[in-house]
Amino acid sequence: MGRGGDGTGGESTEGWFTVLPEHMDMVGDVVPSVVRVGTTEGEIAIAVHGGFFQVGPGEGEDETLATVLAGIAEKVDEIDVARAQAAKEAAQAEIAADSRNDQETAASTMARAALERAELRLNAAKS
C-alpha cells in the first residue's frame, strides 16, 4: 500500500493506528475507514471497506513497508459522489421496503452493507 514516509494509518478493531518509519512488525485488521498513507510525494487518502494490514521491513535499510489487503479500496479523490449518493438512496429504499414487511432478508442484509459502503464513500469524499 505505501512506504511509511511521514506516517501511514487507519482504523482497526483495536482503534486508530499509525505506522512510522522503522515501525515494529505487526499484523491486524482494518475496519471500514479512511486509511491515510504518507509517502515521499505527500499523503494519499484511501477509503478501505475492511481488510487486513501488515507492517514489516521494506527493501532498503531503515525502510518500513505497510501493506493493506482489502476487497474494496478507493482513492478518496476518485470517488464518484453522485454514484455513491444514488447507491445510498437505493440501499435505504431496499431497507425501508423490507422493514415494512417486518422481514430481515438476504436482500436487506446486502442493502445494509451497500448503505455502509455508500456512507463511507460520501463521508470520505467530504473530508
Side-chain angles (χ1 to χ4, degrees):
M1 178 181 81
R3 300 183 192 284
D6 293 330
T8 297
E11 186 176 2
S12 75
T13 54
E14 300 294 320
W16 285 96
F17 63 89
T18 300
V19 177
L20 298 171
E22 299 183 46
H23 200 281
M24 68 181 221
D25 293 356
M26 60 189 289
V27 175
D29 64 339
V30 177
V31 298
S33 60
V34 175
V35 173
R36 300 195 180 281
V37 181
T39 70
T40 54
E41 291 83 35
E43 185 179 89
I44 301 169
I46 303 170
V48 176
H49 300 270
F52 300 93
F53 74 92
Q54 176 182 358
V55 178
E59 294 176 12
E61 190 175 322
D62 298 331
E63 185 175 83
T64 301
L65 179 65
T67 304
V68 172
L69 176 62
I72 301 172
E74 307 165 279
K75 287 184 178 180
V76 169
D77 60 359
E78 295 177 0
I79 292 174
D80 183 337
V81 175
R83 183 173 168 214
Q85 184 64 41
K88 177 181 177 179
E89 291 167 5
Q92 288 172 325
E94 179 71 32
I95 292 166
D98 280 356
S99 68
R100 284 192 297 273
N101 297 330
D102 288 331
Q103 294 180 346
E104 180 68 24
T105 64
S108 62
T109 300
M110 291 175 62
R112 288 184 202 292
L115 178 60
E116 288 177 12
R117 287 191 303 273
E119 288 177 338
L120 174 58
R121 287 179 177 116
L122 291 168
N123 291 333
K126 291 177 186 174
S127 63

